[in-house]
Amino acid sequence: MWLFANMKFWYRLVSLLLMAVVSVGILISLSFNIHRSQLERQHSLMPRSRDRRADFKVHVKRLLRRGQLEITLGGWVMPDEASSHYISVIDQLIEGHQWLWENLGVRPENSWSIDPFGHSSTMPYLWKRSGMTNMASLIKEKALEFNWRQMWDMTGSTDIFCHVMPYMLYNIKYTCGPNTFSCLHFDFRAIHGETSESLATEVTDGNVESSAEMLYRQYRAKANYFRYNTILVPIGDDFRYDREVEWDQQYNNYQKLIQFMNSKPEWNIHVQWGTLKHYFQNVEDERNKRKFLDKNDDPPVLSGDFFPYSDKDMAYWTGYFSTRPFDKYLSRELQSILQAADILNTLYYAVSKRKNGKSEVHFSTQASLLQQARRALGLFLHHDAITGTSKSFVVEDYEQNLFRALENVRDVMKFLIQSLLSDGQVESPVVFQPETARKHYQGLPQKQLISVAESGTTVAFFNSLAHPRQQVVHLLVDTHHVVVMSSTAEVISIEISPEWSKGQESVIIENIFELSFIADISPFAITSYTLYRRTPPPLSVHLKSIEVINSPRGKVHSSVHFPASSLRVKKTDPIKIDNQVIQLTFDPNTGSLFEVKDMVTGREHQLNISFQVYQSRGSGAYLFSPKEAATPLFSNIPTMTISRGSLTTTVVVDFGQQVVHTVTLYHKPSQLAAAIFIENLVNIDQLKDKEVVMRLDTDIDNHDLSYFTDQNAFQFIRRRTNKDLPIEANYYPITSGVVLEDPTSRLTLLTAQPHGVACLAIGQVELMLDRQLVMDDKRGLGEGVTDIKPTISRFVIMMEQITLSESSTTSSSYHTSLSLASLGVSDMLQQPLLSFFTNVNTTIFSRTVSLLSSPVPCDLSIISFRSLTTGSLDYNGTSLMLHRRGYDCSFPSNNHLCSLAEYPLTFGTLLTKFNLSNIYETSLTLTSNKRPVSPTDKISIAPMEIATFHFHF
C-alpha cells in the first residue's frame, strides 16, 4: 500500500492473490485431505462477467465453510493505531464486516494485526465488542500470551486473548524460530528474475532429514517462549502468493518436512496446516484442560499499550506520529463532515418516510456518495497511509481520493440541508453552497466570501452533536453594513473585524470583513440565520479595535474606522488581553504567551508558548532521530496584531513565512470563556532536515515527569518520561489531547488533528507540528519526506483548578478522563459546526429543523447515527451508536448547556417524532443481535462503554 497507488496495488497484487487462493485452493486444505484438483483453475485476472463473479464467490464460500480459508479482522483495512480516531476505526470496521456478512456470511472471530507500528489499547476493546475473541500482534513483550484488558475494566469483561509474535518481523525469516539464518532455508519461493535472500533448496529424499531437523530445532526453541504447547508459524510476507507457482513451491516442500517431523515419535512434535482459528482453538482446548486441573491457571493480564515501537539499534518509530500533518488534518476534516452527513441522511430518510411513505427517491444516490467517501476515509486509515509513510505519488493519490470524498459529502450536505429546511418543497436545483471549502486537493480550507443581499442571504448551520450548542460563528462578508436575524426574526448582536492582507503586512483588505455572532443550535438541528445588507441598529453591531505592534509601516490603512486603530514600531511593555474570566500576557519581543491569570481567583500560572526546531540526525518518514535538543526556531521580533471586541479578542503573531500563530479568547458564551484557542499556520518548505515543535512551559509540578495522552480519542493513558532514554524514545502519539497536572492544577491541551507529543522537563509539553526530511530512514519507503505543504493545526488550552482530592495525580491512576468542561470543548473541536449559504431570495429556508426529541446527558455521545445499505444501496435499517464517556469529577461542572441528570433515556423519548420497529442491541459492527429492545426500555450504558442498536423507521 505504501509503494503503489490504490488501484494499481489492487490489480497488480490483490487480485492475483485472490485468484490464486481460489484456483490453487491449498491454503490449509491438505490438513483436511482435500485434493487441490477438486477446485477449478481460473486464468483471468479477476472474474469479469456476472456468472464468473458468482462462481468466484461460490469457491470462496466453500473454502470458508470447510475451514480452509479464514478472514481475520475484517475491516476495510488493517488500520494504524497511533493516529486514527476511534470513530473512523469503527466506521471502517462496520464497512468491512457488513460487506463480509452480506456477501460471504462471515463474521470474523480473530484479529490479525501484525503490521502497525505499535499497538493502542483502544483497538482490542473495539475488536472484542465486534465479536472477536482472540488477536495476533507483533509486539516486543515478554509475556507472549496474555489477556489484554482495558485499564478502566474492573471485571475482565473487555479481556481479549492476545498472541504475540516473538521476533522482529512477521516474514519467514523471523517466524520459524530465533535463528534467522536457519529460517532463511525455509522460504521456498523461487521466481525467475527475482532477487531473494532465501537460502532454501528443494527438499528431496536426500536432504529431508537434515532440513527437517534444522526446522524442528527452531520450532523447539520458539516453543520455549510460550505458555501453551501450540505455536503459530506463519509462512508468508508482504507481496507474497501473487503467483500460483509459489503456492506449490511452499506447500510441496513444507509437506515433505511436515511428514518427516510427524514420523519421528522421539521428537514429540505434531505439525499441521491451519488457520489462525485452528491455532486459537488448540490453545483454548489446552487452557480449558489446565483450568479444570487448577482453577487459578489463567494467562497473565496486561493493560496499557505498546508505544513507542523500536525495532533495532535503538531506533524509535516515533516520527510517523507527525509525518505529513496536512493529510492527517484532511482526514479528520472528512471524518467530521461524513459523520454529520450520515446523521442528516438518516433524518432525511425518516422525515420523508413519515411525510409521504416514500424515502427511496434520493436515498440511494446520497447513500452511494457517502459509501464512496466512507471507503476513501477507511482506506486512508491504513497503517501506511495516515501514518504518512507512503511514497510521495501514493500520498498524492490518497489526497485526491480524500478531496473527492470531501466534495461528494459536501454535495450531499447541500442537498439534505436544502431539502430539510424547505420541508421537501425545494430539492432542485441545489442553491446552497459550503461556507468553507477547499479548492484543490493540496489546498487549505478557505472561507468563501458571502455577498450579502438587500433582500437577504440565508446561512444555515448544522449541529452534529446530540447536545445543545452555543458558539461564536465567523463568516466572511462583503460589507460591514449588515443586519443578522434569527429564524424567529430576532435581531442578533454582531461583531465586525477587518480582513488582513496575507501578502502585505498591516494592510486591511477593502470591502471584506469578518462577521461574528453567537449561534444557538439545538441537538441534531439545522438553524438558519438571515443576513441583510442595511445599516444595523446602533447597539447591535460592534467594530473591533485594532492595534499593530512591531510593524515598520506607518499606519493601518482602511476606509472603515475601526476604534483605537494604532500601529507601533515597537512596544516594550507586556501585552495583556482578557475576557473577564482569564487574562493572557504576551511578550512583545518574542510574541510568546507567557502567563495566564484566573481573574476570578487572581491565581497566576506560567504558560510560555514557543516554537522550537530539531535538527535531524537520521530521521525519516518512520523514525524520529534528532541530532540534539531542540533550539528556538525564531530570533526575529514578530509582528503582532491585537483585535479586541465584544465577542472575541485575538492576537495574531506573524513570524514570517514559516509560522503564523493565532490566539483567541471568547468573551461569550460563558462555557468557552475559560478556553484559549490556538491556530498555527505552518510552512516549513525552506527548512531542510528540520522538525518543528510547539512547546508549552508551565509551572505545573509533575515532578515525576508523568502526564496523560489520549488513545484514538477514546481514553487517556498515563505516560512517564524516562530520562535515561533519548528524546525520540519519549515521544508518544496523540489523537485528541494531552493532560499535564499536579495535585492542584491541570493543563489540558486539546487538538483537532494527530501529533507526536513529549514531556521532556517538569511542567513542559511539546507537540511536533511538521517535519521535512531529505534522507530515507531505511524502513522500506526508499525516499525522504519533502512534499511539504502549508498546514493548519488547531488547539485549545484549558487551565483548570482541581477542587476534589480524587484527582488522577493523587491516586496514581494509570488512566484519567477529561473534565466535563474540556469534554464539551473537545466535542466542538472534533465536530465543528457546518455552515452553508444561499442568496436565493425566499423565506422558505428561514426556519429551524430540530429532529432529536431531547438532548442526551453530557457524558453520553452519539458517535454514529447512520443508515445501513445493502449491496444494491437499498435501505437496510439504521444504526445508533452511543458512547458513555468517563469524565473527571475533580473539577467544577457548571456553565454546561447539557445535563447530567439521570433522567430515563429511551428510544421513545429520544426519537419521539418517528415510529421505530425491530429495535435490537447488537454487536459493535451490527452483524449479530444481542437482545430486543422496546421503545420504552431505559437505555443504560456503563461508563466508557459503547452500545450499538439497530432499528427500522
Side-chain angles (χ1 to χ4, degrees), residues 730-743:
N730 287 297
Y731 254 73
Y732 293 93
I734 61 169
T735 308
S736 65
V738 56
V739 171
L740 195 67
E741 68 180 14
D742 61 25

Side-chain angles (χ1 to χ4, degrees), residues 461-477:
F461 300 95
F462 175 60
N463 175 18
S464 59
L465 296 176
H467 306 125
R469 194 166 189 159
Q470 281 185 346
Q471 187 171 330
V472 177
V473 296
H474 306 280
L475 307 173
L476 213 58
V477 296

Side-chain angles (χ1 to χ4, degrees), residues 4-21:
F4 305 98
N6 175 29
M7 294 310 295
K8 290 182 180 179
F9 175 82
W10 171 261
Y11 284 115
R12 178 174 175 179
L13 295 170
V14 178
S15 60
L16 292 171
L17 174 60
L18 289 175
M19 290 310 300
V21 170

Side-chain angles (χ1 to χ4, degrees), residues 277-434:
K277 180 178 181 179
H278 296 117
Y279 165 74
F280 280 123
Q281 186 59 60
N282 283 350
V283 171
E284 178 66 17
D285 290 344
E286 186 178 349
R287 286 174 59 188
N288 290 336
K289 290 177 182 177
R290 289 191 179 193
K291 192 74 174 175
F292 180 77
L293 298 174
D294 181 359
K295 65 179 182 180
N296 296 317
D297 192 320
D298 291 314
V301 173
L302 268 68
S303 296
D305 69 354
F306 297 93
F307 288 112
Y309 173 69
S310 176
D311 55 356
K312 58 183 178 180
D313 303 327
M314 292 292 286
Y316 289 89
W317 295 45
T318 53
Y320 79 92
F321 302 157
S322 312
T323 300
R324 293 183 167 118
F326 176 92
D327 303 312
K328 289 175 167 66
Y329 185 91
L330 176 59
S331 70
R332 292 289 281 276
E333 184 181 352
L334 176 58
Q335 173 188 305
S336 66
I337 193 172
L338 179 59
Q339 192 175 3
D342 275 333
I343 295 168
L344 279 183
N345 193 46
T346 299
L347 295 176
Y348 170 78
Y349 178 92
V351 169
S352 299
K353 189 166 186 179
R354 181 187 63 184
K355 184 178 179 182
N356 51 33
K358 297 180 179 180
S359 48
E360 289 79 16
V361 179
H362 297 285
F363 177 80
S364 60
T365 301
Q366 314 306 332
S368 175
L369 292 173
L370 294 179
Q371 182 187 80
Q372 294 173 44
R374 187 174 296 108
R375 291 178 175 181
L377 178 59
L379 185 67
F380 187 71
L381 292 189
H382 187 274
H383 56 272
D384 286 312
I386 193 173
T387 53
T389 54
S390 298
K391 285 188 175 294
S392 57
F393 75 91
V394 180
V395 169
E396 190 170 351
D397 186 65
Y398 281 126
E399 291 168 348
Q400 291 173 348
N401 287 337
L402 292 174
F403 178 73
R404 282 192 296 268
L406 201 57
E407 292 295 288
N408 286 341
V409 177
R410 284 203 174 101
D411 287 343
V412 172
M413 290 284 292
K414 291 188 298 185
F415 169 81
L416 295 173
I417 284 177
Q418 179 169 312
S419 178
L420 288 168
L421 276 180
S422 67
D423 198 22
Q425 298 180 53
V426 183
E427 292 190 338
S428 180
V430 176
V431 297
F432 274 87
Q433 296 297 322

